[in-house]
Amino acid sequence: MPVLIVNNIDYSCSIVKIYASIKAKRSKCPKCEKYSNKVHDRYTRTISDLPVFQNKTTIILKTRKFKCQNPQCDRKVFSEQTPYILRYSRRTKRVSRILDSLSIELTGKLGSMLSGQLLISVSSSTITRIVHRQRLPPIIQPKVLGVDDFAYRKGISYGTILIDMETSRPIDILPSREGKELKKWLSKYPDVKIVTRDRASSYSSAINEVCPDAEQVADRFHLLMNLSDALDKYFKSVNPKIRKLIKDKGNELLNMSDGQNAGCDKGKRSRLLSKVQEIVEIRIDQRLDVFNKVKELQAKGISKRKIARDLGISRNTVHSYFPLESLPPRISSKSTNIELFAQHIVARLNDKGYMMKDIIDEIYKLGYNGSRTQAYHNINSIKEKFEIHTPDFAQIQKSRIPYIKPLSSRTLAKYIGSCLTVIKDPDERNYLQTLLDNISELQVVRKLVQIFKTMLKRGRGNINRWIGFIKRSKYKMPGLINFAKGLLRDIKAVKNGINMSWSNGAVEGHVNRIKSIKRQMYGRASFDLLRKKVILSQTG
């Protein structure tokens, strides 16, 4: 601030106080703009400035009052001013700019908390007052305008947001979504060339009345949403036919599902057997290599003493191996007599829905001498050895009840235009495939949906031919017929929506941002405050 003279600097209690005065010897009257150098009085102003090295900074400005020397001026006395400090303010302009941003981007309470962290603390009510004091920028005539509604309270009250699509910035919001509000606004800015909008008739009629030469563009997202709603109505109308078909084809669908599950189970079983084989290979008796080597050296006629010395084993071990033809298994304390009950166990395992606990209780009564854990392991080994796949009680409990859950009309509307490989759930995929294979009308609907989506994706296509096919079709297709009639009423905007690159994507993004701002304000703030936060925010 070069216009100030620093007279003294004082530092205490983490506060920097700068004592200053204004250099100029005269000052301009704010009323008549005549200069005066006649001093009437002096006083001091305490002004907050940006912090210095994380210390709060205050400017103690010595200010003079001048007498206006113009006899025709109504103002007799005025205070000298500087361009760096606002009139009637206790903050410098650079501090005010920071507080202006905080007040727009944050709530009053959060703005107050953050300003305290920046050492320029103000109250939450001051933050709110700063928002109300800010002025909106002048509206520049937009060439491409985006229009959409947003909810104050969903299903009860709505407003309208207007976006300059060339800059993707909001230029205004209206307190209602009625056509008269938009007409009033467009009458002030009638030179709009292109308007992107949803399918609302109130917006369409308002634009046609005020800006008849403007090109209207129906948003592609809303066209797809309208198609989804139409398909939902269509599938509700054919629901009795679908239910009858699924009832007749229920067993076939269940077999398809069971076949897929069986394939999965077979893969799991083969992986399990391979793991069992790995464990068996790991558990081979480690004495076998030594035994084979001893028998090899014995055949060559080498003495027991030399064999024991060279192989690093005791002579007693060599002596015990010499008369043996094969290595006997180890005698372990963990051995059990479960092999005596193998026939009983196999007979019980072949009963569908058996319980392992009951089998173990039975062999205990017959004289089994091992633990329950050993019994579980040995019974599982017997199942693998005899390849017994009869489901036990736990598997029966986990097995699915033979029931085909019908897909909702909204789910069918979602899947009908998609490739079947996109559907992750095999049951849903089989369900839709069965419908397509047995209801020829669905094949026609599927093709129509795919053509419509392709037109929107590629940006070209004959929408009139698409509508005409639906109207001339031998199938009634309720829902889709009404959708086609609605497209025909708004055919020019629909064609522009397909062929032109403009869409309402930026508008939808700002509508979503309004939801966030509303949650910050908790519904207690005024429309004027919401309007300023939406338009002045730099985050959108």
Side-chain angles (χ1 to χ4, degrees), residues 142-158:
K143 299 298 180 186
V144 184
L145 182 69
V147 183
D148 202 357
D149 59 0
F150 66 91
Y152 297 115
R153 294 178 64 193
K154 194 168 184 179
I156 298 176
S157 56
Y158 290 83

Side-chain angles (χ1 to χ4, degrees), residues 134-249:
Q134 293 187 58
R135 294 183 178 179
L136 294 171
I139 298 175
I140 300 172
Q141 172 67 60
K143 299 298 180 186
V144 184
L145 182 69
V147 183
D148 202 357
D149 59 0
F150 66 91
Y152 297 115
R153 294 178 64 193
K154 194 168 184 179
I156 298 176
S157 56
Y158 290 83
T160 300
I161 184 168
L162 306 173
I163 305 293
D164 185 344
M165 299 300 292
E166 293 180 309
T167 61
S168 295
R169 293 289 306 167
I171 52 179
D172 207 352
I173 63 173
L174 308 178
S176 168
R177 65 174 177 180
E178 299 296 328
K180 60 182 181 181
E181 292 287 344
L182 184 59
K183 280 194 285 187
K184 192 186 301 181
W185 191 93
L186 287 173
S187 62
K188 298 178 184 176
Y189 308 98
D191 296 332
V192 177
K193 303 299 182 186
I194 299 173
V195 182
T196 67
R197 57 169 176 81
D198 59 11
R199 304 288 311 290
S201 59
S202 57
Y203 291 152
S204 174
S205 59
I207 297 164
N208 286 330
E209 187 172 335
V210 181
C211 305
D213 297 329
E215 292 285 351
Q216 298 186 44
V217 180
D219 183 48
R220 291 185 286 276
F221 169 75
H222 286 92
L223 286 172
L224 287 174
M225 289 295 293
N226 297 148
L227 175 62
S228 179
D229 293 338
L231 288 170
D232 181 43
K233 292 178 182 177
Y234 167 75
F235 280 111
K236 284 177 179 175
S237 68
V238 297
N239 188 45
K241 188 187 297 185
I242 291 174
R243 289 176 64 182
K244 184 178 182 302
L245 173 66
I246 295 302
K247 186 177 180 180
D248 296 339
K249 298 284 184 178

Side-chain angles (χ1 to χ4, degrees), residues 244-254 404 434 438:
K244 184 178 182 302
L245 173 66
I246 295 302
K247 186 177 180 180
D248 296 339
K249 298 284 184 178
N251 292 331
E252 185 180 330
L253 282 170
L254 287 171
I404 302 298
T434 303
N438 293 276

Side-chain angles (χ1 to χ4, degrees), residues 220 452-460:
R220 291 185 286 276
F452 191 83
K453 288 184 176 181
T454 303
M455 284 192 293
L456 294 182
K457 187 176 181 179
R458 294 182 178 177
R460 63 179 185 274

Side-chain angles (χ1 to χ4, degrees), residues 16-69:
V16 177
K17 292 184 179 180
I18 301 173
Y19 294 87
S21 58
I22 299 174
K23 283 183 182 180
K25 295 183 179 179
R26 59 178 189 164
S27 184
K28 185 191 289 187
C29 175
K31 185 77 174 179
C32 63
E33 298 187 345
K34 299 288 185 180
Y35 282 96
S36 173
N37 57 5
K38 192 170 183 179
V39 178
H40 170 72
D41 198 1
R42 290 177 174 83
Y43 69 101
T44 58
R45 295 176 66 185
T46 303
I47 299 161
S48 295
D49 198 13
L50 295 178
V52 175
F53 297 112
Q54 296 194 2
N55 293 294
K56 186 176 180 181
T57 305
T58 303
I59 299 174
I60 310 298
L61 183 62
K62 191 175 181 181
T63 307
R64 294 167 294 181
K65 287 185 177 181
F66 287 89
K67 290 182 178 179
C68 183
Q69 294 179 305

